[in-house]
Amino acid sequence: MLIIHGGTPLEGEVQVRGAKNLVSKAMVAALLGTSPSVLRSVPAIRDVEVVTGLLRVHGVDVDLDGDTLYMDPTSVESAGVEEINVHAGTSRIPILLCGPLLHRLGRAFIPDLGGCNIGGRPIDFHLDALRKFGAVVDKDADGTHLSAPNGLHGIRYELEYPSVGATEQVLLTAVMAKGTTELRNAAIEPEIVDLICILQKMGAIIKVHTNRVIEIVGVDELKGYEHRALPDRIEAASWASAALATQGSVFVRGAQQTDMMTFLNVFRSIGGAYEVNDHPVDGGIRFWHPGTALKPVALETDVHPGLMTDWQQPIVVALTQADGLSIMHETVYENRFGYTRELRGMGANIELYSDCLGGTPCRWGRRNFLHSAVIAGPTKLHAADLQIPDLRAGFSHLIAAMAAEGTSRVYGVDRYITRGYENFEAKLLGLGAKIERPSASSRV
Ligand code: EPU
């Protein structure tokens, strides 16, 4: 639990390191190499610890020195169900081990997945593609067992929806499958492009065509890589939104304009100000509240290059301070507005609808999910006791508590926030936030 005394503008500077949603996949890619890999700018977050554990039980030597990760997969070996199952329910990354383990060992065991509870999060695309590659998939009470008795062979495959994870699954499997794979309707998020760069460094042949088509020519062997992870654009946007909601000013060192163009357009439309410093070493983006009223906007989340679903929650908190009615239509996940209940408890005026408001009809409107939000502002937020429901919503609860008058207690920070935000308490303190952990006596 974190105690937050709100009402203080966040002022100062934070550093963002490599993106959680690239680093964890880059670690999986290291399994494919016959020589060691080096990954730089690795954040100290729990998802990295989880994947480290998974690699280690498979015989990969993993060493972290500062923010540089060394991974030696030369002695990859099968792991037992029990030691793998230690990591059950902790993350969604284990599903991406399928292709690399099948290539290296001929079989794989995948524990039950975890990750944030923001929708059904099925893995049907992953398993369907793996079966087409030639994998035999058996689910039992322990988890999922896979084998490839006849090897893995390139496929022509079209995704029903440009899923990030399923695109990564196909990439990590196709790079060493026999023959050529053509993936249509692929996701093209910057983290996927960075993963493609890593695989290319390892010796893969991957062509990214227009219109979401990726062609992969399978090769017999891949070597290790050296790579600096692209910066975390979700964390950067979280700090930007915190600056706006608390009427502060934050320089996010490491934030990169090219990956954040859509966010920057939205930030400016709301009335936020920013300045890009593109110095190769010390660059970043300064975000601030210009002191004038914030403007309402109608937005919808989408796959890249649209507005990221992970930017939605911090933006919604900032929109509670805009002058008028804003709309947020969530089209990626069916259940990503649960956190607004707590915001309403703090005085925010947010209503949820099952219609596709203000945008193009999406998959969730037809199925009656509450996936559009109307935010009426500006509303004064007041302190409350908050229970964090997931990673990104959790960070927006922190933002709301910092913007609110009074003292809030936020529960669940260690379970959720540390999964994806490195050193966030020190960063908050550095920005002048008035936060504290409960003393031992008040914890009982
Ligand atoms: N989907 C299916 N079947 C599948 C796979 C996906 O129906 O087999 C659906 C999902 O249910 C969802 C949509 O496709 O409605 C998009 O899901 P996607 O596969 O793109 O998401 P993911 O790979 O599970 C990653 C990030 C998420 C991020 C999404 C969208 C990681 C570890 N997670 O999830 O990040 O929201 O892409 O950009 O990379 C976070 O960092 O907090 C987070 C949730």
Side-chain angles (χ1 to χ4, degrees), residues 81-393:
V81 166
E82 272 171 29
E83 44 181 353
I84 297 176
N85 259 339
V86 169
H87 303 285
T90 50
S91 152
R92 302 194 63 70
I93 304 304
I95 188 69
L96 295 178
L97 291 168
C98 295
L101 288 179
L102 286 174
H103 283 305
R104 293 298 306 269
L105 302 165
R107 61 198 166 100
F109 169 71
I110 306 301
D112 285 339
L113 302 182
C116 290
N117 183 14
I118 49 183
R121 306 196 82 180
I123 50 166
D124 50 337
F125 303 163
H126 295 248
L127 298 184
D128 189 45
L130 284 163
R131 285 193 177 102
K132 294 209 160 62
F133 274 111
V136 176
V137 181
D138 275 318
K139 291 197 87 164
D140 69 14
D142 289 329
T144 306
H145 299 264
L146 297 101
S147 58
N150 301 313
L152 298 167
H153 298 269
I155 55 173
R156 282 172 69 91
Y157 195 70
E158 175 153 354
L159 285 170
E160 227 176 279
Y161 184 83
S163 149
V164 168
T167 299
E168 292 160 345
Q169 182 74 263
V170 169
L171 283 168
L172 289 162
T173 308
V175 280
M176 283 184 67
K178 292 254 169 300
T180 299
T181 293
E182 185 185 274
L183 178 64
R184 308 187 80 84
N185 204 23
I188 48 162
E189 268 62 7
E191 292 77 15
I192 290 182
V193 175
D194 213 34
L195 179 64
I196 291 176
C197 290
I198 289 174
L199 293 167
Q200 201 177 40
K201 285 176 174 174
M202 297 177 80
I205 301 171
I206 303 173
K207 304 172 200 172
V208 182
H209 298 295
T210 49
N211 287 343
R212 299 189 176 278
V213 176
I214 302 180
E215 189 186 330
I216 306 122
V217 182
V219 297
D220 291 337
E221 196 180 299
L222 294 172
K223 57 182 170 43
Y225 65 83
E226 268 202 57
H227 191 76
R228 170 170 292 278
L230 89 168
D232 198 313
R233 63 196 173 115
I234 307 180
E235 184 182 356
S238 303
W239 293 115
S241 305
L244 199 58
T246 62
Q247 309 214 1
S249 169
V250 177
F251 179 64
V252 185
R253 194 178 294 285
Q256 206 163 270
Q257 182 182 13
T258 40
D259 303 334
M260 296 191 71
M261 286 188 157
T262 309
F263 178 82
L264 294 175
N265 289 336
V266 168
F267 197 79
R268 184 164 279 160
S269 323
I270 298 174
Y274 65 85
E275 188 178 57
V276 177
N277 170 341
D278 47 19
H279 188 276
V281 181
D282 278 336
I285 306 178
R286 185 164 82 87
F287 297 92
W288 73 98
H289 188 301
T292 45
L294 299 185
K295 291 174 275 195
V297 283
L299 301 170
E300 69 179 1
T301 62
D302 205 348
V303 292
H304 189 75
L307 183 73
M308 279 191 101
T309 167
D310 305 282
W311 289 334
Q312 181 255 97
Q313 309 77 0
I315 291 176
V316 164
V317 177
L319 287 176
T320 64
Q321 304 310 306
D323 193 3
L325 284 187
S326 296
I327 293 174
M328 182 66 85
H329 177 209
E330 167 64 56
T331 74
V332 180
Y333 290 110
E334 68 273 38
N335 184 21
R336 220 170 181 183
F337 279 123
Y339 71 98
T340 56
R341 196 181 48 235
E342 311 274 61
L343 295 184
R344 276 199 296 277
M346 298 177 80
N349 187 342
I350 303 175
E351 291 294 335
L352 300 183
Y353 297 86
S354 53
D355 307 271
C356 299
L357 293 184
T360 357
C362 77
R363 299 170 292 161
W364 313 127
R366 290 191 294 275
R367 293 165 55 190
N368 236 12
F369 286 103
L370 288 172
H371 72 296
S372 290
V374 175
I375 306 116
T379 44
K380 234 183 171 26
L381 299 180
H382 51 76
D385 283 359
L386 304 166
Q387 183 65 52
I388 291 179
D390 66 70
L391 172 61
R392 306 300 169 193

Side-chain angles (χ1 to χ4, degrees), residues 374-441:
V374 175
I375 306 116
T379 44
K380 234 183 171 26
L381 299 180
H382 51 76
D385 283 359
L386 304 166
Q387 183 65 52
I388 291 179
D390 66 70
L391 172 61
R392 306 300 169 193
F395 198 85
S396 50
H397 280 162
L398 295 184
I399 299 176
M402 287 180 295
E405 289 297 331
T407 299
S408 297
R409 281 185 297 218
V410 187
Y411 294 87
V413 280
D414 291 339
R415 172 148 184 228
Y416 293 109
I417 308 284
T418 50
R419 271 196 54 214
Y421 292 89
E422 177 185 54
N423 227 354
F424 74 96
E425 277 177 70
K427 288 182 182 174
L428 282 173
L429 288 168
L431 293 173
K434 299 203 166 60
I435 59 166
E436 55 183 317
R437 288 280 178 164
S439 62
S441 56

Side-chain angles (χ1 to χ4, degrees), residues 9 49 194 442:
E49 288 170 21
D194 213 34
S442 64

